[in-house]
């Protein structure tokens, strides 16, 4: 510390916690003649109150952050997220390189869309109207199976 950093308390500042001060011979500061217990106890209780308030704030902040991370994780699981690419691919491009990771919804939708594309595009142009009706029936059957599945899941969830 520099020499000018330390200062002595004035009489008014000392009188907050002390019941009185008196001068001592040969010393350049005032000595306490007693302690004001009520002001000291208020200071201690106030310090404890601020410490409890800080602890409560940190607890609420921690719970909030935990719920936020849980919701973000669930959203990433269902909707997809991005993941940092490390290794050779990260050396090819400057900065951070991310790749999209599909979530559960994206994976199921991609599988369903590719199955529908396969059903509609297999040999339909060459097979005539019967193949078109078969493909349409397959799509309607898929929608029916999905609706029944959603109904079954709803019954299980509702109990």
């Amino acid at each position: 510390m520099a020499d000018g950093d330390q200062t002595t308390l004035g009489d008014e500042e000392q009188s907050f916690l002390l019941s009185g001060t008196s001068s001592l011979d040969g010393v350049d500061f005032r000595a306490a003649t007693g302690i004001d217990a009520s002001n000291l106890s208020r200071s201690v209780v106030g310090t404890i109150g601020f410490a409890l308030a800080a602890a409560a704030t940190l607890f609420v902040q921690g719970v909030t952050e935990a719920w936020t991370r849980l919701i973000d994780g669930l959203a990433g699981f269902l909707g997809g997220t991005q993941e940092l690419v490390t290794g050779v691919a990260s050396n090819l491009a400057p900065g951070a390189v991310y790749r999209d990771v599909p979530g559960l919804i994206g994976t199921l939708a991609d599988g369903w869309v590719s199955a529908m594309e396969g059903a509609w595009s297999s040999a339909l142009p060459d097979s005539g109207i019967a193949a078109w009706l078969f493909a349409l029936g397959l799509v309607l059957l898929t929608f029916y199976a999905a609706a029944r599945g959603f109904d079954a899941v709803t019954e299980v969830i509702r109990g």
Side-chain angles (χ1 to χ4, degrees):
M1 278 200 233
D3 291 332
D5 287 346
Q6 294 180 346
T7 59
T8 57
L9 297 175
D11 286 341
E12 186 177 310
E13 295 167 329
Q14 289 178 357
S15 67
F16 175 71
L17 295 176
L18 305 176
S19 60
T21 59
S22 61
S23 298
L24 297 174
D25 294 333
V27 185
D28 62 348
F29 60 87
R30 299 177 68 77
T33 58
I35 295 176
D36 188 354
S38 65
N39 283 342
L40 180 62
S41 63
R42 280 189 232 136
S43 296
V44 170
V45 168
T47 302
I48 292 171
F50 282 125
L52 291 175
T57 302
L58 287 175
F59 177 76
V60 169
Q61 181 182 6
V63 168
T64 304
E65 186 173 338
W67 276 105
T68 303
R69 287 184 181 212
L70 179 69
I71 291 170
D72 285 345
L74 184 62
F77 172 71
L78 292 176
T81 185
Q82 289 187 336
E83 116 181 312
L84 181 65
V85 177
T86 58
V88 177
S90 65
N91 295 332
L92 299 177
V97 178
Y98 292 93
R99 71 180 178 103
D100 289 330
V101 178
L104 180 65
I105 295 171
T107 303
L108 293 176
D110 286 345
W112 182 76
V113 167
S114 65
M116 290 300 111
E117 285 177 352
W120 281 96
S121 66
S122 59
L124 290 180
D126 301 332
S127 301
I129 191 72
W132 286 96
L133 292 175
F134 175 75
L136 180 62
L138 184 62
V139 170
L140 293 175
L141 184 65
T142 302
F143 281 132
Y144 176 74
R148 294 292 302 211
F150 287 133
D151 289 341
V153 169
T154 305
E155 287 178 16
V156 169
I157 290 175
R158 288 186 182 166

